[in-house]
Amino acid sequence: MLAVLQQTLAITAPVFSMLFLGVLLKRLRWIDDAFINTASSLVFRGTMPTLLFLSIINADLSTALQPALIGYFVFATLVCFFIAWSWAIWRCPQADRGIYTQGAFRGNNGIVGLALATSMYGDYGLSVGAVLGGVVILCYNVLSAIVLAIYSPNMKADPWTLCKSIFSNPLIIGVLLAIPFAYWKIPLPHWAMVSGDYFAQMTLPLALICIGGTLSLTSLRESSGVAIGSSLMKMVWLPLLATLGAWAFGFRDADLAILFLYFASPTAAASFVMARAVNGNYQLAAAIIVITTLAAVVTTNVGLLLLQWAGWV
């Protein structure tokens, strides 16, 4: 268990370092609001779609393709999404409902979940995690686009506008463009892959610096109640429900542990980028990311300890 704790810290510490770097750069006035606006737009429209595109075309979709595992993950994701949304309707101000919902169900599986799965189960964890990651990308982005569009101050919530917001979302476009390349194994020129990789590698540092530059004690104070509620939903209640459901459906050992790690991942940095893109309460989105990333060091290890104690993994 100490090894898992060290691995979790090794993954989350660089994330926090980049967040605090954003805070420091804003204090030193090396970056300003104009930079944050431009960089967030670049991540949303360019670097993150490129990252998603490359991650899918590089994945071996035939490896560890388990319909039952994927089917349960999609089902549980939908259930968690609707639970979070229903709770947000009951407990949150209308303007914050989309941000709360996205923060409560959208996990950072590409960094935290996949890295921990690979650390614990080697090639099997990497292959299963990569296949789940492709499903995650599509589910999370479609559901987030829907709920953010409904509560966006700049958009109407009619069916046509919702469909338009989904299919015009650069993240979803990146995923959809990648599917035929991955399925038919269409090769891209070496120079295009290398250049695309250079471009995509800017995604996480830029997004985290922007989040850090947005954080302030005032914004954290103002959003603390909603942010803590969303964070508890993301890190405690929904992983508990989804993992117990997976056990009830018969998943055990490595499969159950990988599902738990994906459900228990902290909120993804992409939630901030999407919140900013629709002119939502991105300060709240930033606060949720910070709280859940910090909480992951504790909740992930406690969850794995309980699963091992019960003899399920």
Side-chain angles (χ1 to χ4, degrees):
M1 189 52 61
L2 180 60
V4 177
L5 176 60
Q6 291 173 336
Q7 180 70 14
T8 308
L9 285 170
I11 295 165
T12 55
V15 173
F16 270 109
S17 297
M18 296 306 294
L19 286 170
F20 290 134
L21 179 61
V23 174
L24 178 62
L25 293 177
K26 183 71 180 294
R27 289 288 181 88
L28 293 174
R29 298 185 179 179
W30 289 12
I31 64 174
D32 55 16
D33 290 336
F35 172 87
I36 293 172
N37 287 334
T38 303
S40 297
S41 179
L42 175 63
V43 171
F44 179 67
R45 298 176 183 275
T47 66
M48 191 168 285
T50 304
L51 179 66
L52 298 179
F53 178 87
L54 292 177
S55 67
I56 291 176
I57 68 172
N58 288 329
D60 184 0
L61 300 182
S62 63
T63 302
L65 192 62
Q66 301 183 37
L69 193 70
I70 294 172
Y72 176 77
F73 187 86
V74 172
F75 167 75
T77 297
L78 289 171
V79 171
C80 289
F81 170 75
F82 283 111
I83 289 174
W85 191 3
S86 300
W87 190 262
I89 291 173
W90 183 38
R91 297 298 298 267
C92 292
Q94 183 168 345
D96 292 340
R97 289 172 185 170
I99 308 299
Y100 177 101
T101 303
Q102 182 185 217
F105 91 96
R106 183 174 191 159
N108 194 351
N109 298 320
I111 298 171
V112 179
L114 181 59
L116 288 175
T118 304
S119 174
M120 291 185 66
Y121 296 105
D123 290 339
Y124 182 76
L126 177 62
S127 59
V128 172
V131 172
L132 278 180
V135 178
V136 163
I137 290 168
L138 196 55
C139 287
Y140 283 177
N141 285 301
V142 169
L143 295 174
S144 294
I146 291 171
V147 76
L148 290 175
I150 289 174
Y151 296 107
S152 170
N154 300 330
M155 299 177 65
K156 299 177 181 178
D158 59 272
W160 167 247
T161 303
L162 289 177
C163 289
K164 187 177 177 182
S165 71
I166 292 170
F167 290 106
S168 64
N169 186 303
L171 307 183
I172 296 173
I173 291 172
V175 172
L176 295 178
L177 285 176
I179 291 174
F181 284 87
Y183 184 78
W184 284 297
K185 302 185 188 309
I186 301 172
L188 290 175
H190 177 71
W191 66 265
M193 294 293 292
V194 174
S195 299
D197 191 52
Y198 288 161
F199 188 56
Q201 285 178 11
M202 294 191 292
T203 300
L204 192 61
L206 266 182
L208 293 174
I209 286 173
C210 290
I211 293 168
T214 301
L215 287 173
S216 68
L217 289 177
T218 302
S219 65
L220 285 172
R221 236 183 345 258
E222 290 176 351
S223 62
S224 61
V226 178
I228 291 172
S230 180
S231 300
L232 283 172
M233 182 77 74
K234 177 70 193 75
M235 302 309 297
V236 179
W237 306 122
L238 293 183
L240 178 63
L241 175 65
T243 305
L244 288 175
W247 176 82
F249 272 87
F251 294 104
R252 298 290 187 276
D253 301 323
D255 290 343
L256 182 61
I258 291 169
L259 284 172
F260 165 73
L261 291 171
Y262 269 53
F263 288 124
S265 293
T267 303
S271 63
F272 169 82
V273 177
M274 287 190 67
R276 191 151 194 137
V278 299
N279 199 28
N281 186 350
Y282 53 85
Q283 291 96 343
L284 173 59
I288 294 170
I289 292 167
V290 172
I291 295 170
T292 56
T293 303
L294 181 61
V297 177
V298 176
T299 57
T300 301
N301 289 280
V302 170
L304 287 172
L305 183 63
L306 291 174
L307 290 173
Q308 290 176 349
W309 175 77
W312 295 353
V313 300

